[in-house]
Amino acid sequence: MQLWHQRSAVRAAVFTLTAVGGAQVRPVAAEPTSFAGPGGAAAAPLTLWYDRAATDWESQALPIGNGALGAMVFGGVGQERLQFNEKTLWSGGPGEDPDYTGGIWKAPRPGALAEARRLVLEQGPQDPQVITDLLAQPREGYGSYQPFGDLWLDGEEPAQVTGYRRELDLAAGVARVRYTVGSTTFTREAFASYPDHVIVLRVSADRPRSVSFAVRVTTPHPDTAVAVARGRLTVAGHLANGMALESQVQVVSDGGRRSDAGDRVTVSGADAVTIVLTAGTSYAARFPDYSGNDPHRRVTATLDAALGSPFRRLLERHQADYRRLFDRVRLDLGQRAPAITTDRLLAAYTGGASTDDRALEALFFAYGRYLLISSSRAGSLPANLQGVWNKDTAAAWSADYHVNINLQMNYWPAEVTNLGETTGPLFDFIDAMRPAGREAARVMFGSPGWVVENETTPFGYTGVHDWPTAFWLPEAAAWLTQHLWEHYQFTQDRAFLRRTAYPIMAEAAEFWLANLVADPRDGKLVAVPSYSPEHGPYTAGAAMSQQIVWNLFTNVIEASELLGTDPELRLRVEHALAQLDPGLRVGSWGQLQEWKEDLDDPLDTHRHVSHLFALYPGAQIEPTATPAIAQAALVSLQARENAPNAESPGWSRAWKINFWARLRHGDEAFVSFRDQLRFSTLPNLWDTHPPFQIDGNFGATAGVAEMLVQSQTGVIQVLPALPSAWPAGAVDGLRVRGAATVGVTWRAGRATEIRIASDHGGTLRVQEPMLSVFRLIDAETGRAVPWARESADTIRFQARAGTAYRIIR
Ligand code: FUC
């Protein structure tokens, strides 16, 4: 659904009132009540709600997930549908292609890389096809993330329905549906529990013996069978690649009669019904076969264990786990509970002064955190291009892991919005990729280290394919290691740095120490062939390549110093860094050059703005420390933003929010955020490329945090890019490097109070204009705390571990 083309169509669509199957549906009166029950409190602001069932998976159904399992809830009256996923269910890989090499050259190509380098170094920029002819290979056995199946509740379609409401309550981590037929009100609650590893759906009514429907499970995978016994539906079988898959669904009815009938379980006259679902595959994140045990025993044991608890207990355990993460951050932009449905809220959104617009913005911020908690939890794979949600057997871009911006963007909110635990799957994935990455480095580069190219899968796809403009980015591995280093910076967890992060970073550095070459033009070390993602010619030393390697080398040196380890490697890296072309050049029109050659076109419309990596998520460019380069980055960004028909998939808009925030241009950051909501967001608030692509959700949430708090310079910058659209507000729970939590309240665009708590104590440096006149006190005792001035708006003070401090005007 091309939002910005059909905006008027969207507006039109909202006002037809037919439900699935033709029943007359009278939506809930537009008063902002939630399911708090009769006389209920005002609707919680962090709730997506609608007054009609979803008919479209991509733009209307609502996502629930626990990292490994995901489901889309449709909310139909006569028929309910939960389309569900399990994160490891993938086609392709070694099981499907006996000659599978994960994109690594099937046969050695002696001299191919040297030839590509010679052409670039001797003849200058090369057409992508020239390099593709030398280095590419058709993509085989790549596969796609798979839908698992659909859970259906087939009931009677009532003639008349009143008070219909469907919602996703982000504060509770629960999706709900409610409607009334005659004088009976039906309620459905659905959630995905991480502690119990199940998806739970409860259907109840406010009158006894009113709940009746048939439950069935369907799947698009031909080599599967459904078995039904004692109210349990089991779907089991294999994909073409031999991967075993199994889901089990138990139907538990309170009262009434439950019976097994063919491929379904029917319930009639129950007071309530609880449906518990889990699923698994035989996938194992283990090179080279990525195949483990049949999931049957695990799935059975998981479901049996969950069934040992009543619905309320399952819900309590879920909410305790979920809220422990979600409740850490609170954002108040002066929003009030909107009295209109979320799709209308979005349709009416302009980024103006209304509290409704603030409500949508605060909701969108929180939604990014909700989606990350729901699609990335320890023990499974990271959030892919669609998080954990996918209905297609051949999904867009295979719903894979593109590593030239997309996977990285997925994790940008993790640290700063206090969801560090969600990074576990990413780090496990990176670590599991290394054996195949080593093989790619050995076969394709003849070098040590590990590497991955433009996109990958759970089957260790670290090689290439053959689309000239998107097959080459060996820097992706180095870029991924930045997340490990950032995790250390935000947690100060030395054990993590020593055991997990540093070995991966050091091995990635070994690759670059072996693959950088001296540029005959200036003797500087450069990547060759080097490609600025999906754009322009192959050159030597494109800006992004150089900036990423600079970032890696700088982090490796700091990490090895901190750990007091690897002096020999550190020396080699320090030496290379001193020779490295940093990829920071001001061009003929004052722009930051994307390539070492001054090739930039001021009318360039491309969605990737890779040469600003050093601005965000890198930190090489900083308005105070590098003003001239920051100015050039500003020129480049303005040109890309203002180019007629600039390509603007959601993720590209989200990246720009962060760029503007790092340049401390709050109003421009807000415009990118506003336009992402206006032009790249679906009625269920999913980001769209189009099609649905989740990275934009995560990038936008990170962007909002980046407007309010930054710490990449070692100084806690408070309100560095506050837009005038948010004159008053408050945020709490954001995280900064150095392992501290920060909150701030502001009025008339200026902070009135800053709240800080340091995990481990130490020197904290804080910057905000209010720091010209203020008091620093211990939040608990109210006692004044000594501090020192560093500049007109920057102070430092000694913090004690776990002590909360307030800086007040
Ligand atoms: C990169 C981007 C595309 C898309 C794809 C998944 O190739 O250039 O826009 O987001 O990833």
Side-chain angles (χ1 to χ4, degrees):
M1 179 157 75
Q2 305 285 341
L3 262 175
W4 54 90
H5 305 324
Q6 298 168 331
R7 198 163 162 77
S8 53
V10 171
R11 288 199 172 133
V14 168
F15 292 109
T16 46
L17 285 180
T18 52
V20 181
Q24 260 312 307
V25 174
R26 225 175 283 302
V28 69
E31 99 265 357
T33 58
S34 81
F35 283 153
L46 297 178
T47 299
L48 289 70
W49 68 285
Y50 307 83
D51 58 12
R52 48 175 296 170
T55 51
D56 178 55
W57 180 93
E58 183 185 13
S59 65
Q60 298 172 346
L62 294 172
I64 57 173
N66 69 2
L69 298 172
M72 295 297 285
V73 184
F74 281 71
V77 173
Q79 179 183 65
E80 174 62 286
R81 174 187 175 195
L82 266 68
Q83 182 277 323
F84 67 95
N85 288 95
E86 203 284 341
K87 187 73 90 30
T88 61
L89 189 64
W90 264 79
S91 62
E96 196 162 291
D97 169 6
D99 303 329
Y100 179 80
T101 62
I104 299 172
W105 293 336
K106 289 188 184 278
R109 291 189 198 180
L113 184 58
E115 175 58 7
R117 287 179 174 159
R118 184 190 67 77
L119 287 170
V120 170
L121 292 172
E122 290 177 10
Q123 301 174 10
Q126 296 292 312
D127 181 277
Q129 194 60 53
V130 171
I131 302 300
T132 307
D133 292 345
L134 283 164
L135 304 178
Q137 174 175 276
R139 196 162 82 166
E140 286 165 8
Y142 191 82
S144 173
Y145 179 40
Q146 295 295 304
F148 204 112
D150 290 81
L151 172 70
W152 303 90
L153 278 52
D154 300 320
E156 247 178 65
E157 196 62 62
Q160 173 104 35
V161 170
T162 57
Y164 181 93
R165 183 188 164 104
R166 173 172 71 88
E167 69 177 33
L168 180 61
D169 180 340
L170 304 186
V174 175
R176 302 187 189 98
V177 182
R178 169 173 275 186
Y179 57 90
T180 300
V181 177
S183 55
T184 308
T185 296
F186 294 88
T187 300
R188 295 186 205 138
E189 297 157 277
F191 60 90
S193 164
Y194 176 68
D196 291 286
H197 197 58
V198 288
I199 287 172
V200 180
L201 171 63
R202 172 123 171 129
V203 183
S204 56
D206 63 357
R207 286 174 186 281
R209 295 182 296 285
S210 306
V211 178
S212 303
F213 47 69
V215 181
R216 65 193 162 93
V217 178
T218 56
T219 177
H221 305 298
D223 182 13
T224 53
V226 179
V228 178
R230 291 177 298 284
R232 186 172 295 197
L233 302 107
T234 300
V235 174
H238 295 83
L239 297 184
N241 61 6
M243 184 184 288
L245 66 154
E246 180 161 335
S247 77
Q248 295 185 11
V249 176
Q250 180 69 51
V251 180
V252 181
S253 81
D254 303 1
R257 236 166 47 76
R258 185 198 69 192
S259 57
D260 305 337
D263 66 351
R264 57 203 67 198
V265 174
T266 63
V267 175
S268 55
D271 303 336
V273 176
T274 303
I275 297 169
V276 184
L277 174 156
T278 196
T281 75
S282 58
Y283 173 80
R286 199 179 43 239
F287 178 83
D289 63 347
Y290 300 96
S291 182
N293 302 329
D294 185 282
H296 176 66
R297 286 165 65 139
R298 187 166 16 102
V299 166
T300 308
T302 301
L303 193 59
D304 289 349
L307 291 167
S309 300
F311 172 76
R312 284 287 139 216
R313 270 303 293 132
L314 290 170
L315 178 61
E316 280 160 17
R317 267 205 299 274
H318 158 59
Q319 293 190 318
D321 164 74
Y322 172 78
R323 288 189 166 145
R324 185 176 58 79
L325 299 173
F326 187 81
D327 290 358
R328 290 175 182 164
V329 171
R330 190 182 64 86
L331 175 63
D332 177 355
L333 298 175
Q335 67 267 22
R336 290 288 154 275
I340 54 174
T341 59
T342 305
D343 50 339
R344 290 196 182 91
L345 191 66
L346 181 68
Y349 177 76
T350 60
S354 73
T355 55
D356 275 4
D357 282 6
R358 296 297 84 79
L360 180 65
E361 292 157 1
L363 185 62
F364 196 57
F365 168 77
Y367 196 45
R369 299 187 68 247
Y370 167 83
L371 292 171
L372 190 57
I373 297 169
S374 305
S375 64
S376 187
R377 297 299 298 273
S380 188
L381 292 169
N384 58 43
L385 279 174
Q386 298 180 196
V388 62
W389 303 279
N390 170 39
K391 65 172 175 41
D392 303 317
T393 53
W397 292 283
S398 301
D400 69 11
Y401 299 95
H402 267 59
V403 285
N404 69 358
I405 178 67
N406 314 82
L407 178 57
Q408 291 88 341
M409 185 178 285
N410 280 359
Y411 286 89
W412 286 350
E415 306 294 353
V416 68
T417 74
N418 215 333
L419 294 174
E421 293 90 332
T422 64
T423 57
L426 175 66
F427 302 153
D428 292 346
F429 186 64
I430 294 171
D431 196 26
M433 198 194 288
R434 287 162 69 199
R438 271 185 214 116
E439 195 52 15
R442 186 183 67 76
V443 173
M444 298 171 53
F445 296 84
S447 82
W450 72 278
V451 73
V452 61
E453 301 282 348
N454 203 67
E455 73 267 350
T456 187
T457 72
F459 301 119
Y461 195 99
T462 55
V464 292
H465 53 64
D466 59 357
W467 305 322
T469 60
F471 86 102
W472 190 262
L473 188 77
E475 298 82 354
W479 186 353
L480 288 170
T481 68
Q482 186 202 21
H483 291 261
L484 292 139
W485 175 244
E486 290 271 291
H487 188 71
Y488 166 71
Q489 290 192 300
F490 277 87
T491 61
Q492 299 295 305
D493 180 345
R494 285 286 172 102
F496 167 81
L497 183 64
R498 185 181 304 282
R499 276 201 290 265
T500 306
Y502 182 74
I504 298 175
M505 293 161 65
E507 193 176 11
E510 290 285 7
F511 175 84
W512 285 102
L513 290 172
N515 281 280
L516 292 167
V517 300
D519 187 331
R521 292 171 290 186
D522 58 10
K524 289 281 180 192
L525 291 177
V526 288
V528 191
S530 160
Y531 192 61
S532 197
E534 311 195 25
H535 186 217
Y538 282 74
T539 64
M544 180 185 235
S545 302
Q546 301 308 123
Q547 294 169 7
I548 288 176
V549 175
W550 186 95
N551 189 274
L552 170 68
F553 282 179
T554 306
N555 299 344
V556 165
I557 291 167
E558 200 174 330
S560 122
E561 279 164 354
L562 273 165
L563 296 171
T565 182
D566 245 351
E568 183 278 328
L569 172 67
R570 188 185 329 144
L571 214 57
R572 286 189 288 131
V573 174
E574 281 167 346
H575 183 69
L577 185 61
Q579 309 295 317
L580 185 75
D581 182 320
L584 301 175
R585 233 167 232 95
V586 181
S588 54
W589 45 280
Q591 86 286 6
L592 190 75
Q593 288 180 213
E594 180 157 2
W595 300 274
K596 194 160 179 173
E597 300 78 2
D598 192 343
L599 303 172
D600 306 84
D601 170 0
L603 297 176
D604 191 328
T605 61
H606 204 266
R607 60 192 179 284
H608 285 265
V609 196
S610 305
H611 49 313
L612 297 192
F613 167 91
L615 178 63
Y616 187 95
Q620 228 175 326
I621 301 175
E622 209 278 319
T624 311
T626 62
I629 297 291
Q631 175 55 30
L634 177 65
V635 170
S636 291
L637 185 55
Q638 284 166 334
R640 202 59 68 92
E641 283 268 35
N642 303 332
N645 306 320
E647 287 181 9
S648 301
W651 66 262
S652 183
R653 293 181 191 278
W655 201 355
K656 289 166 182 142
I657 302 169
N658 290 278
F659 287 147
W660 287 117
R662 282 282 171 97
L663 289 170
R664 313 215 189 117
H665 283 239
D667 288 342
E668 287 88 345
F670 178 79
V671 167
S672 291
F673 179 61
R674 177 201 69 193
D675 288 355
Q676 183 171 348
L677 276 166
R678 292 172 69 200
F679 303 125
S680 299
T681 302
L682 299 166
N684 60 4
L685 301 191
W686 261 351
D687 171 68
T688 186
H689 187 284
F692 156 52
Q693 202 170 289
I694 206 166
D695 38 30
N697 285 103
F698 297 134
T701 291
V704 170
E706 210 63 25
M707 287 191 240
L708 303 176
V709 169
Q710 288 176 30
S711 60
Q712 70 284 2
T713 62
V715 176
I716 300 170
Q717 298 167 290
V718 178
L719 304 180
L722 182 70
S724 49
W726 299 342
V731 65
D732 274 291
L734 296 182
R735 295 285 291 175
V736 292
R737 297 165 183 84
T741 304
V742 174
V744 56
T745 302
W746 67 93
R747 296 277 167 282
R750 297 284 303 278
T752 55
E753 177 174 324
I754 299 171
R755 295 169 285 279
I756 300 181
S758 163
D759 296 12
H760 309 296
T763 307
L764 293 182
R765 302 164 66 212
V766 187
Q767 180 185 44
E768 208 283 337
M770 81 170 273
L771 293 173
S772 49
V773 184
F774 66 95
R775 283 187 309 126
L776 169 58
I777 61 171
D778 176 315
E780 206 171 312
T781 65
R783 259 200 297 277
V785 174
W787 52 273
R789 180 164 296 289
E790 294 209 343
S791 68
D793 63 0
T794 305
I795 64 156
R796 74 171 177 277
F797 70 97
Q798 273 317 104
R800 271 203 312 276
T803 300
Y805 298 90
R806 294 174 61 207
I807 301 177
I808 41 185
R809 264 213 284 203

